[in-house]
Amino acid sequence: MDSRITFVLMLLSSISIGIKLDGNGYVDIVIAIGSKVPQDDMLIDKIKEMVTEGSFYLYDALDEKVYFREATILVPPEWNGTDFSKARTESFGKAKIRIDNPNPSYGVEPYTNLYGECGAEGDYIHFIPEYLLNDNLIELFGSRGRVFLHEWAHVRWGVYDEYSGEKPFYHSNGRIEATRCSKNIQGQLYEVTAGGSLQQCRIDPQTSLPTEGCMFFPDRNQITNSSIMFFPGLDPVTAFCQENEHNYEAPNMQNSKCEKATWTVIFEDSEDKDTLRSLKPLQSPPPPPSFKVVQRTQRVVCLILDVSGSMGGLRILQLQQAATHFLRNIVEDQARVGIVTFSTTASTLSRLTTIDSDTTRENLIKLLPKVASGSTNMCLGLTLGLQILCEDNGDAFGDEIVFLTDGQATDNIAGCAPFAIQSGAIIHTLAFSNSAVPELTEMADKTGGIFLAPNDKITSNQLMDAFASLTLSTGDYTNEPVQLESAGTSTSDWFNGTVSVDQTVGNKTSFVIIYEISFPGIYIQSPSGLIYTQTSMSHDVSLKTVTLKVPGTAEPGDWKYSIQTTILQALTITVTSQASRDDVPPITVKTRMNQQSSDGTKPMIVFAEVSQNYRPVINADVWATLESETGSAHTIQLLDNGAGADAIKADGIYSRYFTKIVNGRSSLKVRVKNQGQTIFGLRKNSGAPYVPGYVVNGIVQLNPPKPPVSEEPLEVGSFTRTATGESFEVKLSGTTPPNFPPNRITDLSAEIQEDTVLLIWTAPGEDLDQGTAKSYEIRWSFELDMLRERFSNGHEVNTAAVSPQEAGSVEQHSFNLSFPIQNGTTLFFAVQSEDEQNAKSETSNIAQASKILPGPKPPGISNPGINLTVIVISVCVVTMVICFIVAVTTWAVKRKKPSAESKVALTL
């Protein structure tokens, strides 16, 4: 073993990926700054201040049990500095906290990208540089440490907001209440006019609730200290809502998704539940967090390729084809690449070489292995690959390994896997075999790499897809390849298709066609009608590959390909491109499962996020194909409807439960198509609430208005994308997949129209959100807790006429109660569904509806109908009387100006 590697490994303690709770302290927190963020050393100081402040708030909020112990700040490769350590496994794409340019839907507002179910970790927190650098924003959202804790609760513990932008008010016992938790938070309702003054909130005659523009102004001094998920910016608020004060009536996301108090989710459902319950409070306040600042500079990659006998025939050819695609179209300019092979022995095909021209790329391609023989000594390959990575600066910190093997080791890889993990390199593992050793998964998991298990079926194109996914994002998606198409078929006729090139891509566009037996006829037509034939393409006979590199920027629109063969053979096509402009990031697709390994006891969920510069792309057609190692494939449409597995409607995150699970490893591939004009959603969920102002001694003190967000649409036409997710593994106790009940309904809504109740929800399935349920059970009550705790004791609604529709359909049911509904009455409703095996779903979210008849006085609001003019005149008259009676004090009274604002409070 190289002595330099031994020395480096002695200096390392452990490598770990992902946030952990180590004792009472959170460690391995990565805060990544996007590559497009200009250098500003003050930004690093502000990050440290925010996390440090947040640590003390966390300590107070969770009964003095936990705090932030260690955090790493990853700065962009473009930043200059001598104080930056070399990044190891930290990367922008894996960071749970990101500092990057704004999401146009949010502007300066911090938010968390939430994917999954209640209690599941979120994807990442997004702050923008201006939020951290502009101290004037503190009064709009509260202290940064408090806001950080609010977002931390989203991303780490999977809780939701307790305010609501969509339903800021609701009726309760004939009164208007602000959506909040706890209900003990006191405040007043006002509407701010265009001129910046206050006026009484108006009431919508249709809903009997305040109209849009009415806002809740909390009292700055409160008698309650909760809740952080409602108003973290309020000074007295230092705790999360617990069961004894949780407001279950509030129509917020926390209730619809969790139906539990925030505190309960943290201690019973979150990633940290077991540790938190067992921890004892600290004996003294914790120390401030420690920080290190790291940087990833030039990308360094070593391909470690298995050329043992079991890789012979078709597999070695697929290795050449996919590695060629990686070297020619995927790995970026100025990256350094080495190539190592292993079988009975290990060999160096290329030491680290800088990608500085197409000639360099082609020279590396010529070195790729063409013959396979011998045994599979993985440790020899790993050791030699690490030595190659150490040649540039003495260590492998932050470098990458692409380890491709059939997965059947003849040596003891368990003996060298820890050595590779401790090296500080990011290890991506690609395993052909269905009996690949578990260390391959472990190496990827523990180093921040990805694990892929492509099968060798030609038409699946999986190895090409795997190599195409091997990018390491810095947050600058304008310099990263985007896969537009990946498709395959077996035919003796035509293989046709359309690839939509939108305006966000077009540079470095390539069409790669692979054939199995004989050279087919190939025709590719541009949107304007220009036809490319074989004469415009390069043909590599040994690789059975034909490539078209579109010159310049590919024309936007539909590109049509037609491939003709006269003999039965497998054909595949892969299309990649890059951003057409440096200042416009392309539309991207990211996909993953909610679990990388499953025993079948917990449902698996497929996610695909479609976005452009953080803006969600909605109304696209998104299909996921999950293919097992045996070749059986299951294709499902992913939905963005806020029902079933999908957490939030129209947020650009498409989801679905995967119910057809089978034993073994499976691959994940997502195809996205959008025909016509691309639609961007305004995703507004799980963010820090803007504080419009406070009530101090009965007088409202307004904050400056929140900076406006940009809603300028980007003109983007039709587009296509494909994306590959990490492979996952299922280990069932038996051979039969589990049967799950219908999914819980989370979007039930209720409305009272005269004496008729109208319920609307999204249909669940027979198995979670697949198929069609057998029946519904609907119950109502005057008491919310009745349905929460004893659903079967509620009053039953006759559902004999209700026939469930297919999962994802909109269900509506209207009915009359057996008594007239009185004005001011509030009723609560819930639904359970049942499948053919009589398995029942969990009780739905509890919907409420109130009957409020229009009247001269808005319900639940005092001081109605008094306007500013009346108040000012009244005050003047009183002042004149006082002046007349008490002449000696006339000069003092005249100097005082009465406060109109203090007289127009609308109290809850």
Side-chain angles (χ1 to χ4, degrees), residues 490-537:
S490 183
T491 183
S492 58
D493 198 357
W494 287 93
F495 174 31
N496 302 318
T498 301
V499 180
S500 297
V501 177
D502 57 277
Q503 294 184 7
T504 68
V505 294
N507 285 341
K508 300 182 180 180
T509 304
S510 66
F511 290 72
V512 179
I513 295 95
I514 295 175
Y515 58 91
E516 181 184 11
I517 301 172
S518 67
F519 186 39
I522 303 172
Y523 309 91
I524 298 176
Q525 181 177 318
S526 73
S528 62
L530 177 63
I531 296 177
Y532 296 88
T533 61
Q534 290 93 321
T535 58
S536 308
M537 307 175 192

Side-chain angles (χ1 to χ4, degrees), residues 594-609:
N594 69 325
Q595 306 170 67
Q596 293 309 121
S597 62
S598 172
D599 60 4
T601 58
K602 183 180 178 182
M604 300 197 77
I605 303 175
V606 192
F607 298 112
E609 181 177 5

Side-chain angles (χ1 to χ4, degrees), residues 206-207 748-760 812-815 821 827 829 847-851:
Q206 299 297 318
T207 65
L748 177 68
S749 65
E751 183 181 346
I752 296 177
Q753 302 171 338
E754 299 295 336
D755 288 327
T756 300
V757 176
L758 173 64
L759 301 180
I760 301 176
Q812 295 190 42
H813 181 53
S814 60
F815 56 93
I821 305 173
L827 302 176
F829 305 87
Q848 61 178 282
S850 299
K851 183 174 183 179

Side-chain angles (χ1 to χ4, degrees), residues 145-205:
R146 291 173 178 270
V147 170
F148 182 67
L149 180 55
H150 176 94
E151 300 308 322
W152 175 267
H154 286 314
V155 81
R156 182 61 183 175
W157 303 318
V159 300
Y160 285 83
D161 285 323
E162 291 167 347
Y163 66 93
S164 174
E166 292 185 355
K167 298 178 180 179
F169 305 103
Y170 67 101
H171 290 114
S172 177
N173 297 321
R175 290 178 57 83
I176 292 175
E177 293 283 358
T179 300
R180 66 201 191 281
C181 190
S182 82
K183 208 171 178 180
N184 294 328
I185 293 278
Q186 298 298 308
Q188 300 177 9
L189 306 186
Y190 284 107
E191 185 174 335
V192 182
T193 68
S197 60
L198 297 172
Q199 70 177 22
Q200 182 179 347
C201 288
R202 294 162 293 173
I203 299 300
D204 185 337

